[in-house]
Amino acid sequence: SSGINAEYGGTDEKAIINVLANRRYNTRLMLSNVYEREFERDLWGDLKSDTSGDFRNALKGLVMTEAQFLAEEMRSAMQGWGTNEDTLINCLMLTLRDPTTVRGIKSYY
């Protein structure tokens, strides 16, 4: 069981929303780093194992860097039979004017 899972009654989604959705990008990244340091666990890994569906996807965007998120989305778009061209194009369009993000995607992927 992860550190996200409440001691009794499962995952406290309201607490997760309160902590992550009401913080700026840099603060969320800092929280993710502190979580990893304090619990010796990956925040996204714990959230991923304790959540599902659209809620999980929203959380992924809240705890990953932009480069990590886009790399994950691109990987997912190219998995299995066929390619989800719409997702792939959207991800690529977001990186057109940002070489830093492109380098981040390359290093993460």
Side-chain angles (χ1 to χ4, degrees):
S1 180
S2 74
I4 298 297
N5 204 327
E7 190 173 335
Y8 303 102
T11 304
D12 188 346
E13 292 179 358
K14 287 183 182 181
I16 293 170
I17 292 167
N18 184 46
V19 169
L20 295 177
N22 296 311
R23 304 291 186 271
R24 294 183 185 273
Y25 174 76
N26 289 335
T27 303
R28 289 192 311 268
L29 293 182
M30 184 180 67
L31 287 170
S32 183
N33 290 333
V34 168
Y35 182 91
E36 187 169 338
R37 189 174 59 244
E38 291 294 319
F39 296 103
E40 298 179 358
R41 300 173 65 96
D42 176 56
L43 178 58
W44 168 238
D46 284 351
L47 289 170
K48 185 177 179 181
S49 70
D50 287 346
T51 58
S52 62
D54 291 337
F55 184 58
R56 177 191 290 166
N57 290 334
L59 293 175
K60 178 168 60 170
L62 290 174
V63 298
M64 291 184 159
T65 66
E66 182 180 18
Q68 290 172 329
F69 178 77
L70 291 172
E72 288 281 330
E73 290 297 297
M74 291 168 70
R75 178 181 290 141
S76 177
M78 294 182 282
Q79 278 183 335
W81 292 96
T83 300
N84 182 336
E85 286 96 6
D86 290 339
T87 298
L88 198 54
I89 289 169
N90 285 336
C91 290
L92 292 171
M93 295 298 290
L94 289 170
T95 64
L96 283 178
R97 295 193 175 130
D98 189 2
T100 304
T101 300
V102 172
R103 284 190 298 275
I105 290 170
K106 285 171 51 179
S107 71
Y108 183 77
Y109 202 30

